[in-house]
Amino acid sequence: MPARSRFSRDLLAWATPLLILLGLVGLLLRQGSDRLQAVPALVIGVALLLQSAWSRRRRRRALLTALQDQRGEC
């Protein structure tokens, strides 16, 4: 698996907040039923942010469990 360039990692790190910002700006600048076009970007951005936080929490919990198990063996 090739290593990602620094630019692509930075771009991926900013993708979710920028998607949420795009959805919010779309909601603010559009009028009437045109506002509905901005909702999918906002919903997807929030869902990606929540999924990322949930995954990070699971990984940290698994790491803590592994460390505690290893500590108990010593």
Side-chain angles (χ1 to χ4, degrees):
M1 195 178 204
R4 290 189 176 134
S5 69
R6 180 161 175 81
F7 175 74
S8 65
R9 283 185 309 202
D10 291 345
L11 187 61
L12 284 174
W14 282 98
T16 300
L18 289 176
L19 192 58
I20 293 171
L21 181 65
L22 178 69
L24 289 173
V25 168
L27 279 175
L28 292 174
L29 295 180
R30 293 177 183 248
Q31 307 235 342
S33 62
D34 285 342
R35 287 180 145 189
L36 290 176
Q37 294 175 354
V39 171
L42 187 61
V43 170
I44 290 170
V46 169
L48 285 172
L49 191 66
L50 291 174
Q51 190 270 339
S52 175
W54 184 60
S55 294
R56 189 178 316 115
R57 184 175 180 190
R58 278 191 4 218
R59 282 193 311 267
R60 287 181 178 180
R61 185 177 297 150
L63 179 60
L64 178 62
T65 303
L67 288 171
Q68 287 174 341
D69 289 345
Q70 185 180 15
R71 189 180 210 189
E73 292 175 1
C74 293

